[in-house]
Amino acid sequence: MATSVAKYFLLSRCSEIIRSFTRQRKLPPVCIRKRNLLSQCPSISYGNRASDNPQDGHVNIPVDRLTVSYSRSSGPGGQHVNKVSTKAEVRFHVYTADWIPEDVRQKIILNNKNRINKAGELLVTSEQSRSQQRNMGDCIQKISDIIAKATEKPHEPSAEDIALRASRLEKRNKERLKQKKLHSAVKHTRQVYFD
């Protein structure tokens, strides 16, 4: 009993010291990460930061809908590379991915024709790291980037932009016509001298 009381006192004292230190230094609270990324979060979300509505453009990537496979990675690493399968391949069927809006799906299909196989699966690979979890996280980040790029709306020009473009175009046309007249005058003087 004395040892459990001592342990409790020691733990509470350590936590008080850490709290007071973080208050003095204004450091963010310490966060301990779990090793297995997929078992802790069944879905990973992405969103468009520029959108006004937080629900608009925010879709969850359900990890259970992704097909994940691991294989031997290429590159340096010695004998370890030949023994461990660390290259991650993540694929999902784009045409039936109901967790992505229809217009975004069509844009993904148009932008990523080389990544989609004959079965209609978008294939993303990563072999940057020598860890399966990091490569898996990198693949999910790549998928999130692909979806985020497809959700971006094109920039609509304002009235000022349209007016500025029109004035620049008019100025260019005037300069072009001026140069044409000068060139025509030069050619005309040549005809006068040679006739």
Side-chain angles (χ1 to χ4, degrees), residues 23-53:
R23 273 190 232 124
Q24 290 171 357
R25 301 285 181 159
K26 293 185 179 177
L27 296 174
V30 179
C31 178
I32 300 170
R33 292 189 172 203
K34 304 275 184 183
R35 284 204 68 151
N36 191 352
L37 174 73
L38 294 178
S39 66
Q40 300 303 319
C41 43
S43 66
I44 297 169
S45 61
Y46 72 92
N48 189 355
R49 286 186 179 184
S51 65
D52 296 332
N53 188 359

Side-chain angles (χ1 to χ4, degrees), residues 20-21 44 56 58 65 67-70 75 81-82 86 105 119 193:
S20 66
F21 181 74
I44 297 169
D56 186 31
H58 185 46
R65 298 269 190 98
T67 306
V68 181
S69 61
Y70 298 98
V81 167
N82 302 327
T86 55
R105 266 189 274 165
Y193 287 124

Side-chain angles (χ1 to χ4, degrees), residues 2-194:
T3 57
S4 63
V5 171
K7 284 181 187 177
Y8 176 75
F9 177 75
L10 184 64
L11 286 174
S12 64
R13 184 72 183 131
C14 287
S15 64
E16 286 175 18
I17 292 170
I18 290 172
R19 270 191 242 123
S20 66
F21 181 74
T22 55
R23 273 190 232 124
Q24 290 171 357
R25 301 285 181 159
K26 293 185 179 177
L27 296 174
V30 179
C31 178
I32 300 170
R33 292 189 172 203
K34 304 275 184 183
R35 284 204 68 151
N36 191 352
L37 174 73
L38 294 178
S39 66
Q40 300 303 319
C41 43
S43 66
I44 297 169
S45 61
Y46 72 92
N48 189 355
R49 286 186 179 184
S51 65
D52 296 332
N53 188 359
Q55 297 298 327
D56 186 31
H58 185 46
V59 176
N60 289 330
I61 299 176
V63 179
D64 58 337
R65 298 269 190 98
L66 303 176
T67 306
V68 181
S69 61
Y70 298 98
S71 61
R72 300 281 198 269
S73 180
S74 63
Q79 295 176 355
H80 184 68
V81 167
N82 302 327
K83 293 189 285 185
V84 181
S85 298
T86 55
K87 177 181 177 181
E89 289 183 358
V90 178
R91 59 182 75 204
F92 67 93
H93 199 267
V94 182
Y95 298 102
T96 60
D98 56 353
W99 45 275
I100 301 174
E102 180 63 35
D103 57 335
V104 176
R105 266 189 274 165
Q106 295 303 321
K107 209 165 182 186
I108 288 172
I109 291 166
L110 280 174
N111 293 343
N112 299 292
K113 290 179 182 175
N114 295 336
R115 288 187 177 200
I116 298 175
N117 60 15
K118 289 181 181 177
E121 295 176 327
L122 180 77
L123 177 68
V124 179
T125 62
S126 175
E127 54 182 331
Q128 287 183 341
S129 174
R130 292 289 169 251
S131 166
Q132 282 186 354
Q133 279 80 22
R134 283 195 216 119
N135 286 336
M136 176 65 187
D138 188 42
C139 287
I140 290 175
Q141 182 62 44
K142 286 180 181 179
I143 291 172
S144 177
D145 292 343
I146 288 169
I147 296 171
K149 186 177 178 184
T151 56
E152 287 178 359
K153 302 280 189 265
H155 174 69
E156 295 180 14
S158 65
E160 292 176 6
D161 293 340
I162 293 170
L164 186 65
R165 267 190 219 140
S167 66
R168 286 179 181 169
L169 183 64
E170 187 179 334
K171 187 177 177 182
R172 263 186 271 144
N173 282 339
K174 283 182 181 177
E175 185 65 30
R176 184 179 57 83
L177 290 173
K178 182 180 171 186
Q179 291 297 327
K180 275 181 78 173
K181 283 182 182 176
L182 286 173
H183 191 64
S184 174
V186 168
K187 286 199 161 245
H188 187 67
T189 56
R190 284 184 195 152
Q191 287 177 354
V192 171
Y193 287 124
F194 292 115

